[in-house]
């Protein structure tokens, strides 16, 4: 019995000599959503999945989403921007596909008229050229008359 | 009778003239070193926003400390679990990092508060990988975008454990 008591006392003594450590916890929490929202901003001249203008759609997390981009008659797709990235080149057959939605996002689709765009000066080039020629000729004749 | 008194007087005289020595006497010196005491303040429980890549944490601090000295420090070990969600297999790992005044970011699992001459301790420091302890200016959690991306929907929890002890250099 004395042996046990001695061993116990020795253990307690050793424990008292050991450095004392204290521990505390910080608990962190986070929520991963089950679905996401994609904001659509569609210019005039077409629709995306039948939607026009500014709107939002809800999609399941990790789901595949297909956006069908349809220009109206006389329009064509100018640009498709997804989460600030130009993905116009990724539109195939009028469709832009997100394989797995992992966060909220935004899709901006811009359409433009498919007619030839007007560029440069629209004034009458022939008229102005003729006037330039005539004024040059008049100057020449006037100078000749003065010399005579 | 006179004889006895004389002997006694002689004895007293001899004894009073002799050097007294106590060969087997002992002097026991005792002293009490006061135990170092302190309060470790750790970051409060908090929520991390979904898709966050850097989440700042308050750096642990020491308060009400006493009984410290140069070479008598507080070492805080930091361990953590990944974010887990009951019933889901996906986890969201992260790294606990610290930044010093120079802006160097390092994964950190230990910080130290060095004792000083005033019986107090200094600011939190972390080892820079080369044996130097630099003051921690910021502590944060670092996440990878792909880890958020693959996590299934649900409520996740993680725990950071701070274990402190007084150590001698």
């Amino acid at each position: 019995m004395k042996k046990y008591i001695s061993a116990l006392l020795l253990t307690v003594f050793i424990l008292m000599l050991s450095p004392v450590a204290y521990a505390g916890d910080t608990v962190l929490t986070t929520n991963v959503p089950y679905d996401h929202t994609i904001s659509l901003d569609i210019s005039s001249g077409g629709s995306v999945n039948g939607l026009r203008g500014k709107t939002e759609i809800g999609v399941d997390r990790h789901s595949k989403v297909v956006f069908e981009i349809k220009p109206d008659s006389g329009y064509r797709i100018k640009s498709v921007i997804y989460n600030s990235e130009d993905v116009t080149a990724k539109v195939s057959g009028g469709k832009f596909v997100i394989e797995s939605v992992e966060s909220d996002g935004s899709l901006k689709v811009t359409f433009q008229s498919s007619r030839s765009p007007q560029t440069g000066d629209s004034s009458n080039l022939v008229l102005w050229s003729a006037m330039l020629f005539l004024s040059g000729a008049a100057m020449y004749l006037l100078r000749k008359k003065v010399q005579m | 009778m006179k004889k006895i008194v004389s002997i006694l007087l002689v004895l007293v005289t001899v004894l009073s003239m002799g050097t007294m020595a106590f060969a087997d006497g002992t002097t026991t010196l005792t002293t009490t070193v006061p135990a170092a005491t302190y309060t470790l303040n750790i970051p409060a429980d908090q929520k991390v926003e979904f898709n966050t890549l850097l989440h700042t944490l308050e750096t642990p601090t020491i308060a009400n400390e006493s009984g410290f000295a140069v070479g008598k420090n507080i070492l805080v070990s930091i361990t953590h679990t990944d974010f887990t969600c009951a019933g889901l297999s996906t986890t969201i790992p992260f790294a606990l990092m610290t930044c010093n005044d120079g802006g160097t970011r390092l994964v950190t699992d230990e910080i130290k508060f060095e004792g000083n001459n005033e019986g107090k301790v200094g600011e939190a420091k972390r080892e820079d990988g080369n044996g130097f302890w630099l003051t921690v200016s910021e502590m944060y959690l670092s996440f990878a975008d792909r880890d958020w991306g693959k996590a299934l929907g649900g409520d996740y929890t993680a725990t950071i454990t701070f274990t402190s002890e007084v150590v001698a250099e």
Side-chain angles (χ1 to χ4, degrees):
Chain A
M1 185 65 182
K2 272 186 180 176
K3 261 188 180 175
Y4 289 116
I5 291 171
S6 301
L8 195 68
L9 284 172
L10 187 66
T11 308
V12 170
F13 185 67
I14 288 168
L15 283 174
M16 284 174 71
L17 281 176
S18 306
V20 182
Y22 301 96
D25 288 341
T26 297
V27 177
L28 307 169
T29 54
T30 191
N31 174 263
V32 177
Y34 293 97
D35 46 47
H36 297 287
T37 301
I38 297 177
S39 303
L40 302 179
D41 183 358
I42 307 154
S43 77
S44 58
S47 64
V48 175
N49 290 0
L51 302 167
R52 291 174 184 273
K54 288 188 176 182
T55 187
E56 289 182 344
I57 59 168
V59 295
D60 288 341
R61 180 168 172 76
H62 291 157
S63 63
K64 178 179 179 178
V65 180
V66 178
F67 292 104
E68 199 168 345
I69 304 170
K70 269 192 179 169
D72 293 338
S73 175
Y75 286 86
R76 62 188 175 90
I77 298 168
K78 182 184 179 188
S79 65
V80 180
I81 310 290
Y82 183 66
N83 287 348
S84 305
E85 182 193 352
D86 191 337
V87 293
T88 311
K90 292 180 182 173
V91 177
S92 173
K95 289 176 182 173
F96 171 60
V97 180
I98 303 170
E99 291 297 335
S100 175
V101 177
E102 295 175 345
S103 64
D104 292 349
S106 63
L107 183 74
K108 184 181 172 105
V109 179
T110 307
F111 297 99
Q112 69 177 14
S113 173
S114 53
R115 284 175 292 179
S116 298
Q118 288 186 326
T119 57
D121 193 350
S122 59
S123 55
N124 193 330
L125 186 64
V126 176
L127 175 68
W128 288 111
S129 299
M131 284 186 73
L132 181 68
F133 177 76
L134 285 173
S135 59
M139 289 280 285
Y140 176 75
L141 289 173
L142 267 173
R143 189 172 280 183
K144 214 172 183 184
K145 206 173 187 178
V146 168
Q147 281 175 355
M148 282 175 72
Chain B
M1 181 66 183
K2 272 186 181 175
K3 251 186 182 178
I4 294 172
V5 171
S6 298
I7 291 168
L8 202 65
L9 280 171
V10 169
L11 198 67
V12 168
T13 307
V14 168
L15 280 175
S16 63
M17 286 178 74
T19 308
M20 290 170 69
F22 302 96
D24 59 348
T26 57
T27 302
T28 305
L29 303 172
T30 60
T31 187
T32 305
V33 177
T37 59
Y38 62 94
T39 304
L40 173 68
N41 296 313
I42 60 173
D45 295 350
Q46 55 202 277
K47 185 175 182 183
V48 175
E49 288 301 315
F50 170 65
N51 261 354
T52 298
L53 297 182
L54 287 178
H55 177 89
T56 304
L57 277 180
E58 301 88 1
T59 305
T61 56
I62 297 292
N64 308 320
E65 74 271 34
S66 67
F68 286 91
V70 174
K72 189 176 183 181
N73 309 321
I74 299 172
L75 197 65
V76 180
S77 303
I78 308 168
T79 57
H80 69 83
T81 65
D82 291 342
F83 277 94
T84 57
C85 179
L88 293 182
S89 59
T90 54
T91 61
I92 307 169
F94 63 91
L96 196 146
M97 305 183 88
T98 56
C99 191
N100 64 5
D101 289 332
T104 311
R105 293 172 172 172
L106 283 177
V107 173
T108 304
D109 58 6
E110 209 171 64
I111 56 174
K112 184 168 76 172
F113 297 87
E114 292 175 333
N116 58 34
N117 288 326
E118 297 161 357
K120 306 281 186 183
V121 294
E123 296 172 304
K125 292 185 174 184
R126 67 111 201 268
E127 211 261 333
D128 71 347
N130 297 310
F132 296 103
W133 289 81
L134 303 175
T135 302
V136 173
S137 61
E138 195 178 19
M139 178 175 275
Y140 55 90
L141 314 177
S142 175
F143 295 85
D145 191 35
R146 64 179 180 280
D147 291 323
W148 283 114
K150 65 188 179 190
L152 298 170
D155 293 318
Y156 289 71
T157 304
T159 304
I160 305 174
T161 301
F162 298 87
T163 305
S164 67
E165 61 180 317
V166 177
V167 295
E169 272 184 354

